[in-house]
Amino acid sequence: MSPLAPRRAIYPGSFDPLTLGHLDIIQRGSALFESLTVGVGTNPEKRAAFTPAERVELIRRVVSPLPNVEVASFDGLTVDFARQCRATVVLRGMRTLSDIEQEFTFTLANRALAPDIETVFLMASERYTHISSTLIKQVALLGGPQVEQQLSGFVPPEIVPALLAKLRPQRP
Ligand code: ADP
C-alpha cells in the first residue's frame, strides 16, 4: 500500500473573534495535516464586530507557536480559497445538532462545486461545546467588574483586551 500524499487543509470561518473552541480545532487540525490555513471569510449574514484584517492579526498572534498554521482572509467561495492554498481538505468544527444541519448543506454545496475537495469534521471538545463568538460578544458587552476573568474562560488571553477595546471602549 502506498503512503498517502501529505495533505494541506483550510479551516474557514468568521472567527469574530477567535474562541478557545476554534483554537482547539486549529491545534487538533494542525496535528492531522501537513499545513493548515485559517481562512477568515466574510459571511454577509453575520454583522461582524472586527474587520477581516483585525481578525487575521489577532489569530496570527494566537497561532504563532504552531509552525504549520497560516492565517489569511478571503472573500470568494470557500472552495476557490482552498484551491488558492493548494488544499484538498476543508476542516470544520461541529458542536450541536443544529451545526450538523447547517454544515450538511454547506458541505453538499461545496462538493457540487468542487468534488475533489473533501470536508473533514472534528467534533468540538466537550469543554468548549457551549462557546460561540456570539456568546462571547454578549459577555464582553454585559459583563460586570470580573469581565476579564469571565472572558478568559472563552477566548485566548490575546483576544480579551481587543474584545473589550472594541465592545466597551468607554470602560476605564
Ligand atoms: P461560520 O460563520 O463559518 O460558522 P464560525 O467562526 O462561527 O464561522 O465557526 C467556524 C468553524 O468553527 C465552524 O465549523 C464552526 O462549527 C466551528 N466552531 C465554532 N465554535 C466552535 C467550538 N466552540 N468548538 C468547535 N468548533 C467550533
Side-chain angles (χ1 to χ4, degrees):
M1 213 165 52
S2 64
L4 273 176
R7 277 181 203 284
R8 303 164 79 89
I10 60 162
Y11 177 37
S14 310
F15 308 109
D16 186 48
L18 182 86
T19 71
L20 289 176
H22 294 135
L23 180 59
D24 180 59
I25 299 289
I26 293 171
Q27 285 166 334
R28 289 160 60 199
S30 74
L32 289 174
F33 300 103
E34 179 200 15
S35 76
L36 181 69
T37 305
V38 181
V40 175
T42 40
N43 185 341
E45 282 166 26
K46 290 186 180 177
R47 235 192 59 219
F50 292 89
T51 66
E54 287 170 333
R55 286 178 262 162
V56 166
E57 153 69 16
L58 285 171
I59 302 169
R60 278 206 183 118
R61 250 187 263 167
V62 175
V63 303
S64 62
L66 300 169
N68 64 339
V69 176
E70 286 170 25
V71 191
S73 63
F74 70 100
D75 45 29
L77 292 174
T78 301
V79 289
D80 290 337
F81 179 64
R83 293 231 161 86
Q84 252 175 50
C85 299
R86 291 184 295 120
T88 51
V89 172
V90 174
L91 180 67
R92 296 283 288 176
M94 194 75 103
R95 284 165 298 183
T96 54
L97 280 180
S98 61
D99 268 356
I100 295 181
E101 215 173 296
Q102 203 190 321
E103 296 293 329
F104 197 73
T105 325
F106 183 65
T107 303
L108 290 180
N110 283 344
R111 189 177 293 160
L113 291 165
D116 52 319
I117 294 176
E118 208 50 92
T119 304
V120 170
F121 296 100
L122 289 181
M123 213 176 96
S125 299
E126 51 279 29
R127 62 184 188 283
Y128 301 132
T129 310
H130 59 294
I131 300 181
S132 69
S133 300
T134 308
L135 163 91
I136 284 155
K137 284 180 275 190
Q138 277 171 6
V139 174
L141 265 176
L142 307 172
Q146 308 296 317
V147 68
E148 273 100 350
Q149 211 179 317
Q150 291 165 332
L151 286 172
S152 65
F154 300 131
V155 295
E158 296 86 342
I159 308 285
V160 175
L163 244 178
L164 290 173
K166 178 66 77 177
L167 296 177
R168 298 275 285 271
Q170 318 299 3
R171 201 172 162 268

